[in-house]
Amino acid sequence: MFQKVLVLIDHSEGRVPQVSLECCSLARRLTSKTNGKVNAVVLGSSLDGIRAAVEHLPVDRISFADDPLLEKYTPGAYVEALEQLITEDGPDVVLMGHTYQNMDLSPRLAARIRRALVTDCVAIREDEDPPVFVHPMFHGKLNADIRVRSPKPWLVTIQSGAFGGRTDERGTPEIEARTVHIDSDAIHREFLEEVSVTADRVDLTKAEIIVGVGRGVRNEENLSLIKDLASALGAEIGASRPIVDNGWLERDRQIGSSGQTVSPKLYFAIGISGAIQHIVGIRNSGCIVAINSDPNAPIFNVAAYGIVGDMAKVVPLLTEKIRQLKTG
Ligand code: FAD
């Protein structure tokens, strides 16, 4: 169905985010039936520093567009460069992570090339003709099935963690340098300064195990039970919003629609009711284990395993059991 897929690789300080790797893995899958080609594009200036991070991506070709005007992201320069690359390569689909940068970039690019854009895509039913793209709406309460009617290429931004896929896959792509011509008059924004909001931040997006704690913990002292469990598991601690609003944990640890979106292999929801604003942040977890005293708590609808009980009793038992298993 897809003969050619172009992937835009995000990067910062020589590192490529997980979601770009997931895009490569997805592009591979989308082209597997047709034996099609995947081309990954890296935009920037003085790109030597990023080379090691991308040269073994599981794609057919990596195109480096190196231009001083691409040194820092500006929508004007990026749209100019990508329009040229898309016109030259003629992909069927352009994939990029649903990152803050690409939320800004993708609608502008779609408007420039006058093609359809599907944002925050969480699934693709590629065996249907035409394929169906799934996009969550209203904080994930509804999923919209989207069939694109405009000519290709279609632009699609991908939700981090939604497609999983192997991000350790390696390939031996052909590497090429591409020249892009950027009209400096097209750049309407001046880059002043990068202010990192993640410098001292806990990045829960990379955690493999997260122990999430909610209002059911009842008081700040009981957080020690959660910390013990997290330490036994080697896990990060996350929280629902009331815990953060109470000032019991830092804002970085909030998971949900106004916090982080996580995709650990294992997520413990302890004393968390399962409000939709929390669920949207955890729905890409591999396995959800809920501990809640209310057997009708909505969290049990999304949990693979559930324990009905008082967290103050259940959590220490679980911690003890895990310690025993770990020490052998
Ligand atoms: P509650 O809903 O009060 O649930 C507590 C749970 O603990 C209950 O299910 C109860 O049965 C259980 N419990 C009680 N005692 C025990 C016990 N002893 N042992 C075990 N279980 C027990 N929320 C987020 O989490 N993240 C967000 O990003 C977020 N963004 C929001 C954005 C907006 C615009 C709005 C309006 C709300 C947002 N919320 C967010 C809040 C959200 O709507 C819920 O209010 C919140 O998720 C509830 O948190 P909770 O599950 O910890 O608390």
Side-chain angles (χ1 to χ4, degrees), residues 214-216 218 240-242 254-259 271-275 277-278 291-294 297 309-311:
R215 192 151 35 197
R218 292 195 309 264
S240 67
R241 184 159 152 176
Q254 182 179 320
I255 296 172
S257 59
S258 47
I272 292 178
S273 58
Q277 291 87 357
H278 190 78
I291 301 172
N292 198 301
S293 52
D294 175 4
D310 178 357
M311 59 78 58

Side-chain angles (χ1 to χ4, degrees), residues 126-235:
E126 71 238 45
D127 43 350
E128 293 190 35
D129 188 18
V132 172
F133 296 89
V134 181
H135 159 82
M137 299 168 73
F138 303 113
H139 286 307
K141 277 191 179 144
L142 288 178
N143 273 345
D145 284 356
I146 299 171
R147 279 206 182 94
V148 180
R149 296 204 304 207
S150 87
K152 291 170 180 164
W154 302 333
L155 307 187
V156 184
T157 71
I158 297 299
Q159 187 180 107
S160 174
F163 288 87
R166 286 185 47 213
T167 51
D168 58 347
E169 277 175 290
R170 288 167 76 81
T172 46
E174 178 194 326
I175 308 248
E176 65 166 14
R178 296 283 286 269
T179 307
V180 285
H181 302 283
I182 298 169
D183 177 2
S184 54
D185 288 345
I187 302 174
H188 303 292
R189 279 192 210 168
E190 183 187 354
F191 178 83
L192 296 179
E193 185 192 0
E194 197 166 305
V195 182
S196 175
V197 287
T198 55
D200 310 315
R201 223 181 132 185
V202 186
D203 185 2
L204 296 179
T205 61
K206 297 196 180 77
E208 297 215 327
I209 308 177
I210 298 176
V211 178
V213 54
R215 192 151 35 197
V217 71
R218 292 195 309 264
N219 55 55
E220 198 172 358
E221 289 67 49
N222 277 345
L223 276 181
S224 64
L225 305 177
I226 301 294
K227 287 177 184 163
D228 287 347
L229 176 61
S231 139
L233 287 163

Side-chain angles (χ1 to χ4, degrees), residues 258-272:
S258 47
Q260 298 200 45
T261 300
V262 297
S263 50
K265 288 184 181 154
L266 182 58
Y267 183 76
F268 283 86
I270 301 178
I272 292 178

Side-chain angles (χ1 to χ4, degrees), residues 6 15-16 39 54 59 82 100 105 114 126 133-134 137 146 152 165 167 207 225 231 246 268 301:
L6 189 147
R15 285 199 298 273
V16 173
N39 184 18
V54 298
V59 297
L82 283 169
Y100 290 120
L105 169 70
R114 300 182 69 77
E126 71 238 45
F133 296 89
V134 181
M137 299 168 73
I146 299 171
K152 291 170 180 164
T167 51
L225 305 177
S231 139
N246 283 348
F268 283 86
N301 297 333

Side-chain angles (χ1 to χ4, degrees), residues 41 57 87 119 132 158 181 301 307:
V41 167
L57 287 177
T87 308
T119 58
V132 172
I158 297 299
H181 302 283
N301 297 333
I307 301 172

